[in-house]
Each structure stands twice: as C-alpha cells, then as structure tokens.
Amino acid sequence: ETGVTQTPRHLVMGMTNKKSLKCEQHLGHNAMYWYKQSAKKPLELMFVYSLEERVENNSVPSRFSPECPNSSHLFLHLHTLQPEDSALYLCASSQDRATRKYNEQFFGPGTRLTVL
Amino acid sequence: GEDVEQSLFLSVREGDSSVINCTYTDSSSTYLYWYKQEPGAGLQLLTYIFSNMDMKQDQRLTVLLNKKDKHLSLRIADTQTGDSAIYFCAENVDSGTYKYIFGTGTRLKVLA
C-alpha cells in the first residue's frame, strides 16, 4: 500500500450507533488531519495531530473523537451522530511544518458517511 | 474572520482556457495552494505560490496572485476533458499552527 488509505470507503449508520473511521499513511509523515467535506461548503478542518499530539481542534462536537496511536494511524470515533453529520470525511498527512518550507498535504480518498 | 471564497461552478469548452478565481482574507498567509479533486478521490496538490510572488507558471497552469486585493487565480490553458474535477483554493495561515483554510471548491466541467 502506498499513500494515504481510508477504511471503510462507505458507511451507513443510525444515530445511536458507534463506529470508527480509520486512516493509515505510508509516507513517513508525522502530521495527520481530519477534514469534513460537505456539498457547497468549504472543506472544514476538524483535527490535526503532530507527532501523535493533537495540535488543532476546531470546535468539533464531542460526538466526534479522534485518536492517533502512532504517526501512521489516525482514527475518528463516531457516537450518537446526527443526520447533518452526513458528509465525506477526508484524512490527510504531511511532514511536520518545521521541516518544510511549504506544507503539501496528501489526502486519502475519504469515507462517505450517511447518518440515518 | 478567516474565509476563502470561490465560485461553485465553471463550464468551458475543450481547448479553451479555464480561469478559476479565489479570494482570501488572511493577509499573513505565506503560501497559497491549488488542489484538485477527481471523482471518488481525495485532494491532490496541483501547485502552490509563495506570497512574495505575483505569478507562477507550470506547464499548462498559471497562478496569479494579487496580494493587495487578496485574489488568487488558476488558469488552465488548452483545457482537456481530463481536467474536469473540483479545484480547491487554500491558504496556510502562518501563525505557527497547522491551520489551513480551504474554499468550497469550484467544479470545472469541460465540454467536448
């Protein structure tokens, strides 16, 4: 596997379910990101981890809980979601900011989440 | 607040030039980016420009930056059907954080 992979690619869940999204990067990066992509809205940065520590948390509801056990893996745990949380959830990775002049992010294909 | 604005749709004929526009609000951004998203895929970096540059050219792509007006544009010459995708403008707020502000994306449709 190369690049950034995400599983599952599609997920349908009820409002009372608990599920997790998984992201894995094979690029040797040490920063990982979760974004939410909704139609006709700006791409929304949710969480950023650098060297396994959370460095950005953009006022995301607590029903979304991230976890970064190591620099290659990132999870998004979902609990009691609402229908308006239906969206494409994208994971990305990059080198740490301090090591590069510009910071290219590499994105996974996303998980299409539908909350019923 | 910080905001990046783009129009949602653009339609051009194959062989014509496409110009995708973007306005941003944070004048402290040091890098501005254009990403491309093809159907069923994540975003892929197309090009970027450093804030002290006015223009950057890379094959069919030309990026123009007007810092005074906080306006960024992406010109694609000789647009092909394979260029049909969503194009995102993004700024990297250089405040020592990992904060990236993306626009809504512009869906480019190339007509044969």
Side-chain angles (χ1 to χ4, degrees), chain A residues 10-81:
Chain A
H10 300 271
L11 178 62
V12 179
M13 60 186 288
M15 289 192 285
T16 57
N17 291 157
K18 288 185 183 181
K19 296 284 184 184
S20 296
L21 309 185
K22 180 182 174 183
C23 175
E24 188 172 355
Q25 59 97 1
H26 309 270
L27 300 167
H29 292 160
N30 49 28
M32 295 187 77
Y33 311 72
W34 278 117
Y35 286 89
K36 178 182 179 182
Q37 184 179 5
S38 305
K40 300 182 183 178
K41 291 185 180 179
L43 195 65
E44 180 186 337
L45 179 64
M46 300 174 73
F47 302 104
V48 184
Y49 277 81
S50 174
L51 300 170
E52 298 146 45
E53 284 192 27
R54 194 187 309 181
V55 294
E56 288 283 344
N57 180 351
N58 282 359
S59 303
V60 179
S62 59
R63 56 186 184 268
F64 294 92
S65 174
E67 180 190 359
C68 187
N70 55 62
S71 59
S72 299
H73 293 86
L74 184 66
F75 295 89
L76 188 63
H77 303 299
L78 315 172
H79 178 49
T80 59
L81 295 193

Side-chain angles (χ1 to χ4, degrees), chain A residues 9 31 33 35 37 40-43 45 48 50 55-56 88 90 96-97 101-105 107-109, chain B residues 4 8-9 31 33 35 37 40-43 45 48 86 88 92-100 102-104:
Chain A
R9 292 295 308 274
Y33 311 72
Y35 286 89
Q37 184 179 5
K40 300 182 183 178
K41 291 185 180 179
L43 195 65
L45 179 64
V48 184
S50 174
V55 294
E56 288 283 344
L88 182 69
L90 293 165
D96 185 85
R97 268 183 64 90
K101 290 184 179 180
Y102 75 97
N103 197 6
E104 178 178 359
Q105 294 180 66
F107 284 80
Chain B
V4 173
L8 290 176
F9 300 101
Y31 288 96
Y33 304 83
Y35 280 83
Q37 184 182 32
L43 282 67
L45 182 68
Y48 67 95
I86 303 175
F88 288 87
N92 186 182
V93 178
D94 188 18
S95 58
T97 73
Y98 289 78
K99 196 166 188 178
Y100 292 84
F102 281 80
T104 56

